[in-house]
Every structure is written in C-alpha cells, then in structure tokens.
C-alpha cells in the first residue's frame, strides 16, 4: 500500500522538476493508438459507399505552439470501403486546407472530413485536415498572433510533422497533395512553390516545427486569391468599366491601376499555348476567350438537352450558338459576371478587406501593402511600402517563389475556377497556369462555366486525377 502511494508522488515530483527546469517541448510523436472509429456513407457517381475510417483528432503538430486550437491537425485513415478492407500504407495523402478569407482554422472544432475528404477516403486515400492561425487570431491582451506569414508557417509545420512521423502515419509521404479554395488555394499554391525556402526557417524554428522537408508532391487550387501585390491592378483590367452595385469606380484611379497591370503582365513574359506569343494586357481577352472560356461554354452547352440549351441561350442573348460552336464578346462576358469589389479591390483604402488585415502585425490590425494605396492615402507620391511588409507580401505569394524557380516545386498542379468568379481577375489563375506550363510542370486546368467563387463541378475528377498522378 505504501509503495502505491509513494510511487505516483515520486513520479509526479520527477515530471514536475523535469518540465519546469528544462522547459520540455511537446514531443512530436504521432500516437497510433489514439483514434475513434467512424462510419460514413459517401455518395459517388458509382453509387453510395459505406466507409469505415479511423479519426485521430486534434494532434498538435509543433513542439512550441502559440495556440494548439489552431496548430493541430486531424488524420483520417480509411479502414474499409463497402466492407472491403483498405491497406492505406502506400495511399496518397490529401492535405485538405479549410482556410477562407485568410482567417484561422480552429482544429479543435473540426471532427469530420470535408466532402472532398469523404470522397478521398472512399477512394482509399489518407486525409489530413490541418488547423492554422489567421489574421483574426487575437490574444486576451489584444496581441494579434496570426498575421502573415503565420498560416503558411503552420501549414509547412504540419507537412513536416507528417514526414517526421512517416513510419506512424499511414500513407505515402512522397505523395502528399495539398488542396484549398480561395485563400486556401493561395496557401496550397504557396506550399507547392516554396518548399524548404530559407525565408521561413526562423518562423518554423520559433514554433518548434519538426526537422523534415515541407515539400508537397502535387497541388490543387480552386479560385486561388494570390499575387496580392498585383491583384488590384488585375482586377481593374477585368472589371474597371463594370459598375458595382453603387456605380462605376473612380475611372482615373482605375486607369492608373490598369496601366500598372500592362507593365506587370509584360514583365512576366508568359508564353501562351500553341505559339500564341507573350501574354499582354491587350491580347489577354482573346487568350482567355479562346483557350478557356469558349471550351468551357462549349462543354456546358453540349452537355444540355436541346430544350434546356435553347432556354439558356434565350436568357443569354449575348452568346451566339452556331453549328455547335458558341461565341461572344469579352465585354459582354464581364457584364454577365458583374463586379463584386470596390477600388482598390484588395488593398482597400479603409483597410477592411482580408488582405490589409492579413498584413497587420502583432500590434497593428491592418496595414497597406501596395505602394498605390499607400500613396493615395498619404498623398505622398513617393511613399513606399516598408521592407518588412514587402517581404511578407512575397512570402505569401506563390509567384514570388515560382519566378525564382528555386527548390522543390510540386510536380503536378490542378487549377480550377468558376467563370463567374468576381473575387479576383481571371488573369490571376491563368497566369499561374501559364507560368507552370512554361516551366513544363504537369498542369490540369479548367474554368467551370457559370461557376462561382470556389466552384467545383467535378469533385470526382479531382480524386481520379490523384489516382492518375500517383500510380505509374
Ligand atoms: C477569399 C475571398 C476574397 O474575396 C478575398 O479577397 C480573400 C479570400 C476567400 O474566399 O477565401
């Protein structure tokens, strides 16, 4: 009896001394035994699938976390599909990023996979859903702790954690596929473009990320909100003469931004398909129409029954349909889409959009991140964004890393947008597609006709694509 009483107190005293003296960091070992077994029914085009899976919930992925509600992840591992056992040991790993609006993802609240995650489980893949910090994170003493680059630092740490535990977490850690939409799409692209870049090293070290590589094999982005430094210019290129609900934006300022877009687009020197030549502000309408919008509309119209198609064409008289081929004027298409945001669309003068909030710091909620907005606000023609903000803007932009072409850039890219998305200019994603095509990456791109922001009209196509790129 004595012993039983003494032993725990000895152990307790030892643990206490040990943790308080050496400030022990959290271990980063994945506990293979701590899971719940769950069942779901997944609707697929080949019928309903009964999936049994293991859910390992809320696992901190860094050893020195700022907030484990956010810096934790869930692992979902398929056990059986329709009663047939699954061996997940070599399965692809879908890294499912739920970030929207560059805001935090609270992993403590997530208990189940997303619909995309369900489909992946039904295909026998491992699914990992990471939480991460975002611009909205604020401590009780009013310190912001999720401003840029916190989200990407956390996601890289989660990838490192997976690799650090490669013998314990089922799945092939050389087949990690990241996916996200909008801000999540931007972060997914950033993972694929900036693997192991030294710019992130001090941040990763600070939170105690595992010492492992953070590259991903493949990237999927739906409606990526990226290239933020140039996004205001691109937005005016597309929507400058389209009124918002409260009328036209300031045309003088819009033209200034459009001029910036012309210069920027030229500086990228991107080469269109089939010897189209360099993409410019002048020929981009033609390029988008020929290579993306017409194929998308053609598919859309051909998939419809005659009566349905006729009805659609009667409601959209700006489209001409002759001998099975549609045509339209780009300006009419833009009118059909409509303008969502004011001017500037991202670095807005009131700093209320997600992007100035993203580039705040510990004590400042929002900061301008473009010279244009800073100059307008300060009425100083020479004002320039501070170096530290410039650096953060680069660190949040896949283009910055792709342009430099260093490191291990993801091999395979799946890029999707809705034709009616008005959250950013269509040129943003198509520039990304074209840059990757010019780099000879394997790129699968499509614009869904009449799809909105984050549209996904082909979720099973994505699952199939993963199968194709991960089986030789
Ligand atoms: C998202 C949408 C936006 O319009 C934006 O500026 C940033 C992010 C989003 O849906 O994640």
């Amino acid at each position: 009896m004595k012993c039983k009483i003494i032993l725990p107190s000895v152990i307790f005293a030892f643990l206490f001394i040990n943790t308080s003296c050496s400030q022990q960091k959290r271990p980063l070992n994945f506990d293979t035994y701590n899971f719940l077994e769950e069942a779901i029914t997944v609707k697929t085009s080949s019928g309903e699938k009964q999936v049994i899976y293991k859910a390992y919930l809320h696992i901190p992925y860094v050893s020195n976390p700022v907030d484990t509600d956010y810096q934790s992840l869930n692992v979902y591992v398929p056990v059986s599909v329709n009663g047939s056992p699954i061996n997940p040991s070599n399965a692809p790993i879908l890294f499912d990023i739920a970030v929207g609006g560059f805001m935090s993802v609270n992993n403590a609240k997530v208990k189940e996979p997303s619909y995309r995650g369900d489909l992946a489980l039904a295909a026998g893949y491992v699914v990992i859903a990471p939480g991460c910090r975002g611009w909205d994170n604020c401590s009780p003493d009013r310190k912001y702790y999720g401003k840029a680059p916190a989200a990407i630092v956390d996601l890289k740490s989660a990838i490192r954690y997976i690799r650090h535990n490669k013998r314990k977490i089922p799945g092939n850690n050389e087949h990690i596929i990241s996916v996200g939409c909008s801000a999540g799409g931007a972060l997914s692209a950033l993972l694929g473009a900036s693997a192991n870049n030294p710019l992130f090293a001090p941040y990763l070290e600070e939170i105690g990320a595992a010492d492992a590589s953070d590259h991903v094999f493949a990237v999927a982005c739906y409606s990526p909100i990226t290239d933020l430094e140039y996004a205001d210019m691109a937005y005016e290129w597309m929507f400058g003469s389209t009124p918002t609900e409260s009328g036209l934006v300031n045309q003088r300022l819009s033209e200034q931004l459009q001029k910036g877009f012309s210069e920027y687009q030229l500086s990228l020197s991107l080469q269109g398909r089939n010897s189209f030549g360099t993409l410019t502000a002048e020929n981009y309408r033609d390029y988008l129409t020929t290579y993306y919008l017409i194929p998308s509309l053609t598919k859309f119209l051909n998939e419809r029954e005659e009566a349905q198609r006729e009805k659609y064409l009667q409601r959209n008289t700006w489209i001409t349909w002759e001998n099975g081929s549609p045509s339209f004027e780009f300006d009419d298409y833009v009118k059909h889409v409509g303008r969502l945001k004011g001017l500037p669309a991202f670095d807005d003068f009131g700093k209320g959009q997600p992007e100035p909030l993203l580039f705040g710091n510990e004590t400042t909620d929002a900061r301008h991140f473009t010279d244009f907005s800073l100059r307008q606000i300060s009425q100083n023609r020479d004002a320039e964004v501070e170096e530290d903000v410039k650096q953060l803007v680069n660190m949040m932009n896949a283009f910055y890393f792709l342009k430099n072409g260093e490191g291990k850039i993801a091999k395979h890219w799946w890029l999707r947008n809705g034709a009616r998305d008005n959250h950013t200019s269509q040129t943003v994603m198509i520039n990304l597609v074209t840059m990757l095509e010019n780099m000879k990456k394997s790129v699968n791109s499509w614009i869904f006709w009449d799809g909105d922001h984050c549209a996904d009209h082909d979720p099973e196509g994505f699952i199939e694509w993963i199968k194709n790129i991960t089986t030789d």
Side-chain angles (χ1 to χ4, degrees):
M1 277 303 281
K2 241 184 182 176
C3 211
K4 270 186 189 161
I5 297 164
I6 290 167
L7 196 56
S9 56
V10 168
I11 291 170
F12 178 76
F14 172 75
L15 280 176
F16 185 75
I17 291 161
N18 201 30
T19 49
S20 60
C21 293
S22 63
Q23 289 218 327
Q24 278 249 321
K25 290 181 169 182
R26 268 165 197 277
L28 288 176
N29 292 333
F30 181 74
D31 177 0
T32 49
Y33 295 102
N34 191 10
F35 61 86
L36 302 168
E37 199 156 280
E38 306 281 359
I40 41 165
T41 304
V42 183
K43 282 201 178 104
T44 75
S45 55
S46 51
E48 286 192 345
K49 297 206 169 156
Q50 308 299 327
V51 180
I52 310 285
Y53 66 95
K54 294 179 182 174
Y56 299 82
L57 299 177
H58 205 41
I59 303 155
Y61 54 68
V62 287
S63 63
N64 193 21
V66 181
D67 190 336
T68 51
D69 278 0
Y70 301 90
Q71 292 164 306
S72 296
L73 52 76
N74 295 349
V75 179
Y76 307 109
V77 181
V79 173
S80 68
V81 177
N82 285 344
S84 305
I86 297 287
N87 175 0
S89 55
N90 203 34
I93 300 175
L94 183 67
F95 189 76
D96 194 2
I97 303 166
V99 174
F102 293 104
M103 291 169 80
S104 61
V105 176
N106 186 339
N107 176 261
K109 292 185 177 165
V110 182
K111 307 271 184 263
E112 288 165 2
S114 64
Y115 173 62
R116 198 169 275 142
D118 285 351
L119 282 177
L121 284 173
Y125 310 161
V126 172
V127 176
I128 299 194
C132 66
R133 290 170 293 165
W135 61 257
D136 52 313
N137 286 134
C138 187
S139 66
D141 61 346
R142 312 241 18 107
K143 294 248 167 70
Y144 302 105
Y145 62 90
K147 302 294 185 184
I152 185 65
V153 171
D154 286 354
L155 295 176
K156 282 173 178 288
S157 302
I159 298 284
R160 287 175 180 227
Y161 177 88
I162 298 167
R163 238 176 227 116
H164 177 74
N165 284 290
K166 63 184 178 194
R167 286 188 186 80
K168 293 183 174 167
I169 299 178
N172 183 343
N173 75 90
E174 284 312 319
H175 283 163
I176 300 176
I177 299 102
S178 67
V179 62
C181 135
S182 194
L187 289 163
S188 181
L190 198 46
L191 278 176
S194 70
N196 305 324
N197 193 286
L199 278 178
F200 297 96
Y203 297 91
L204 291 163
E205 196 173 327
E206 193 181 351
I207 57 172
D211 186 13
S213 173
D214 54 47
H215 67 277
V216 293
F217 173 69
V219 165
C221 311
Y222 292 82
S223 310
I225 298 279
T226 189
D227 213 9
L228 299 178
E229 194 178 344
Y230 302 102
D232 291 330
M233 300 172 187
Y235 203 81
E236 293 315 312
W237 172 86
M238 183 150 171
F239 295 109
S241 47
T242 309
T244 63
E245 278 181 359
S246 42
L248 275 179
V249 297
N250 182 318
Q251 292 294 288
R252 184 180 56 85
L253 296 182
S254 178
E255 273 159 29
Q256 278 181 31
L257 283 165
Q258 286 179 51
K259 193 163 164 282
F261 177 75
S262 291
E263 288 162 14
Y264 170 61
Q265 191 59 47
L266 216 50
S267 78
L268 288 174
S269 196
L270 296 176
Q271 301 305 303
R273 291 178 187 166
N274 301 334
S275 311
F276 182 88
T278 306
L279 298 186
T280 67
E282 290 70 39
N283 65 24
Y284 220 133
R285 284 171 182 76
D286 181 24
Y287 190 68
L288 269 174
T289 307
T290 308
Y291 287 93
Y292 291 91
L293 299 172
I294 290 290
S296 167
L297 176 57
T298 306
K299 180 170 187 290
F300 175 91
L301 292 171
N302 276 327
E303 279 171 358
R304 269 145 187 85
E305 304 275 335
E306 171 106 37
Q308 242 189 331
R309 182 166 56 235
E310 283 310 314
K311 210 165 145 193
Y312 185 84
L313 291 167
Q314 274 163 18
R315 272 192 278 120
N316 293 279
T317 50
W318 53 281
I319 298 170
T320 308
W321 173 256
E322 264 173 18
N323 308 323
S325 310
S327 60
F328 57 78
E329 291 296 323
F330 190 81
D331 285 348
D332 289 332
Y333 154 70
V334 178
K335 249 185 247 162
H336 175 66
V337 178
R339 177 171 183 140
L340 175 71
K341 300 180 176 185
L343 176 151
F346 295 86
D347 196 7
D348 67 312
F349 298 145
K351 292 187 282 192
Q353 291 292 322
E355 291 74 16
L357 288 158
L358 172 66
F359 294 112
N361 63 17
E362 200 178 59
T363 50
T364 311
D365 196 15
R367 292 187 292 181
H368 283 303
F369 60 94
T370 63
D371 292 343
F372 179 84
S373 291
L374 205 60
R375 286 172 190 176
Q376 290 299 321
I377 286 297
S378 63
Q379 290 295 305
N380 171 0
R381 287 198 333 212
D382 301 319
E384 274 191 23
V385 165
E386 285 169 41
E387 278 306 316
D388 76 307
V389 180
K390 269 190 204 160
Q391 173 92 319
L392 293 171
V393 172
N394 288 337
M395 288 171 77
M396 293 303 292
N397 190 356
F399 282 92
Y400 172 76
F401 296 100
L402 292 175
K403 271 188 231 164
N404 295 337
E406 306 157 357
K408 206 164 180 169
I409 295 168
K411 254 190 190 165
H412 302 276
W413 295 71
W414 171 272
L415 294 150
R416 293 290 182 274
N417 197 16
R420 284 190 87 160
D421 188 2
N422 50 13
H423 284 251
T424 195
S425 164
Q426 286 290 353
T427 56
V428 172
M429 189 184 90
I430 301 308
N431 274 349
L432 184 55
V433 171
T434 312
M435 189 175 282
L436 292 161
E437 285 175 346
N438 289 181
M439 292 169 84
K440 308 275 184 259
K441 294 285 170 190
S442 117
V443 191
N444 188 315
S445 60
W446 189 257
I447 292 181
F448 300 117
W449 188 257
D450 271 357
D452 282 321
H453 188 52
C454 288
D456 184 3
H457 298 176
D458 183 24
E460 290 183 58
F462 173 54
I463 300 297
E464 190 63 24
W465 176 75
I466 294 176
K467 188 168 122 196
N468 292 339
I469 60 171
T470 56
T471 44
D472 307 315

